[in-house]
Amino acid sequence: MTARRLAAGGPGARPRNRSDRRPLAAVATGAVLVLALGACSSSDDKDSTTKSDGRPELKVSGAYVPQPPTKEMAGGFLTVRNGGGQADKLTSVSSDVAGKVEMHKTVEQQMQQVKSLRVPAHGTLRLERGGNHLMLMELERKPTKGQTVTFVLHFERSGAVTVKAPVEATNYTPKK
């Protein structure tokens, strides 16, 4: 018998049954899946690259100002979450109650003024007691409990973000 006869299913050829076709069907299905997944993963890779190279996505929460014990200065605290794939920097802050707002970090229990604070991609910047924080200087009025202080946060990439911060008791500690 010739190979052509067997392939053509002519006389003397073995009748084909379903079990003969299964390995071939499995190979064909596997090849189609590999090609389809390859096509999907390359478009997904482009999407994830776009997302990770995308703009910062900032959300500010937990803002508050403790009522200051003196009329000279006050502190400001808040959290900035970045859900985006690119880092940002807080470069300056202004307020409706202060002539000047400084950004500080605390190193070995010493406050140090800084020019900017980094907000990492997919990360968080916490401005809190004992750590990074805002210092409101040259107060135009002493904030008292129940009032609201407005901050304008200026970010390198995201631009200005306005935040309303309630004035809390001097010893206020937010729930974590």
Side-chain angles (χ1 to χ4, degrees):
M1 240 184 292
T2 67
R4 187 177 280 177
R5 263 178 146 180
L6 287 173
R14 238 180 33 185
R16 292 187 180 171
N17 60 32
R18 288 184 179 205
S19 64
D20 288 342
R21 291 186 215 150
R22 282 188 198 146
L24 182 59
V27 169
T29 302
V32 168
L33 284 174
V34 166
L35 291 172
L37 289 175
C40 289
S41 68
S42 48
S43 69
D44 285 346
D45 288 346
K46 287 178 189 170
D47 290 345
S48 65
T49 302
T50 302
K51 288 177 186 169
S52 67
D53 290 344
R55 296 180 48 91
E57 296 173 15
L58 305 181
K59 292 185 181 175
V60 179
S61 63
Y64 74 97
V65 172
Q67 180 175 309
T70 69
K71 61 180 181 176
E72 285 79 38
M73 67 179 86
F77 308 100
L78 52 89
T79 300
V80 181
R81 286 187 175 74
N82 182 358
Q86 190 173 56
D88 209 339
K89 280 185 189 175
L90 178 61
T91 56
S92 68
V93 180
S94 58
S95 172
D96 63 337
V97 300
K100 179 169 80 170
V101 179
E102 296 179 355
M103 296 177 290
H104 288 187
K105 68 178 183 175
T106 303
V107 178
E108 296 178 13
Q109 299 179 354
Q110 297 277 328
M111 288 191 308
Q112 295 178 355
Q113 184 178 357
V114 295
K115 292 184 180 191
S116 65
L117 292 167
R118 188 170 185 272
V119 187
H122 303 291
T124 302
L125 168 63
R126 285 185 177 76
L127 302 179
E128 58 192 356
R129 293 180 190 258
N132 297 335
H133 60 278
L134 302 175
M135 288 299 301
L136 290 78
M137 316 289 275
E138 302 170 10
L139 293 178
E140 295 168 9
R141 65 176 168 84
K142 179 182 172 181
T144 57
K145 185 176 181 199
Q147 293 179 336
T148 301
V149 171
T150 302
F151 290 113
V152 180
L153 310 174
H154 300 272
F155 294 93
E156 183 176 69
R157 297 186 194 288
S158 300
V161 176
T162 302
V163 177
K164 302 278 188 188
V167 179
E168 301 289 353
T170 303
N171 61 350
Y172 174 76
T173 304
K175 295 176 185 175
K176 291 190 177 189

